[in-house]
Amino acid sequence: MTLTLYTNPMSRGRIARWMIEETGAEYDTVILDWGKTKSQDFLAINPMGKVPTIVHDGKVVTEGAAICAYLADAFPEAGLAPPTADRADYYRWLFYAAGPIEQAVTNRSLGVAPDERQQMMAGYGNYDLVVKVLQDTIGQRDYIAGDRFTAADVYFGSQIAWGTQFGSLPKSDVFDAYVARITARPAYKRAGEIDDALIAAAQGQGADADA
């Protein structure tokens, strides 16, 4: 069994690394500088030229939410997915994060605000509605899929953590409490330390080159 993560430590690849660390699986890492994501070798794996990408026993998986869901199923012993009969909230919020949250935050950062008619076409309605749904939902539970941590919290939680950190989502006590719960996990800390060390090493090499 082989598992390889293609990533850059300053990208959504941090989500995939966190998820892999949660599984406890052994894996290899290929760090791609931004120019190399468009190399022919990598485009043969992911034609979009995007990270993260994983290759598990020859199977390619892209897209953060898909990677989280796939790894939860590939490593069931980690207990990162609810029993099949209890996956309604798990799938609902995992893909809500990949759809409406992503669209609402991206459009807002681009200065795109759909008018009332356009909101009927947009899958997320409007930004304020998405924020309200998030706050109302997280305020009623410890984890997004119920009373225990799952792979949905890796992807959904990363959206909330990054959004509140970089200002694409508002600060709130509800968001802060949820983020504190999920980022206290040992796997999150391990993954962050790995990627932060890679960033520091790259910056050090850049400083040496400029000297």
Side-chain angles (χ1 to χ4, degrees):
M1 181 179 295
T2 61
L3 176 60
T4 302
L5 168 65
Y6 293 83
T7 187
N8 182 291
M10 297 180 68
S11 75
R12 289 177 174 85
R14 296 178 76 101
I15 301 174
R17 188 185 295 281
W18 176 17
M19 182 63 200
I20 296 174
E21 289 291 330
E22 290 283 355
T23 70
E26 294 184 3
Y27 65 103
D28 298 317
T29 304
V30 177
I31 302 299
L32 295 173
D33 295 332
W34 294 123
K36 292 183 180 178
T37 62
K38 305 302 182 183
S39 70
Q40 290 303 309
D41 287 344
F42 185 61
L43 290 174
I45 298 170
N46 183 355
M48 289 291 292
K50 299 287 187 178
V51 293
T53 295
I54 65 168
V55 180
H56 181 227
D57 286 349
K59 303 178 186 72
V60 177
V61 187
T62 65
E63 315 314 316
I67 289 171
C68 289
Y70 175 86
L71 289 171
D73 288 343
F75 299 95
E77 64 278 4
L80 293 167
T84 304
D86 298 327
R87 291 191 183 182
D89 278 352
Y90 172 77
Y91 286 130
R92 177 186 180 184
W93 296 109
L94 178 60
F95 294 108
Y96 186 84
I101 298 177
E102 179 82 16
Q103 294 166 22
V105 168
T106 299
N107 281 354
R108 185 170 184 266
S109 70
L110 295 174
V112 176
D115 60 30
E116 186 173 351
R117 183 183 64 83
Q118 292 169 332
Q119 289 173 26
M120 297 177 65
M121 302 169 58
Y124 65 92
N126 62 63
Y127 174 84
D128 290 339
L129 174 60
V130 169
V131 171
K132 183 179 186 306
V133 169
L134 294 178
Q135 291 180 328
D136 289 349
T137 303
I138 296 174
Q140 297 173 8
R141 58 188 74 185
D142 287 338
Y143 299 102
I144 195 56
D147 59 1
R148 70 182 184 87
F149 181 91
T150 67
D153 290 293
V154 175
Y155 192 78
F156 183 99
S158 292
Q159 294 275 24
I160 304 302
W162 287 7
T164 53
Q165 180 179 359
F166 294 107
S168 58
L169 288 173
K171 289 280 189 180
S172 77
D173 291 343
V174 169
F175 288 161
D176 289 347
Y178 173 64
V179 169
R181 279 193 293 276
I182 62 173
T183 58
R185 294 182 64 81
Y188 176 88
K189 294 179 179 179
R190 286 197 306 272
E193 289 169 357
I194 292 169
D195 281 325
D196 289 347
L198 288 168
I199 292 171
Q203 291 173 340
Q205 291 173 359
D208 291 342
D210 293 338

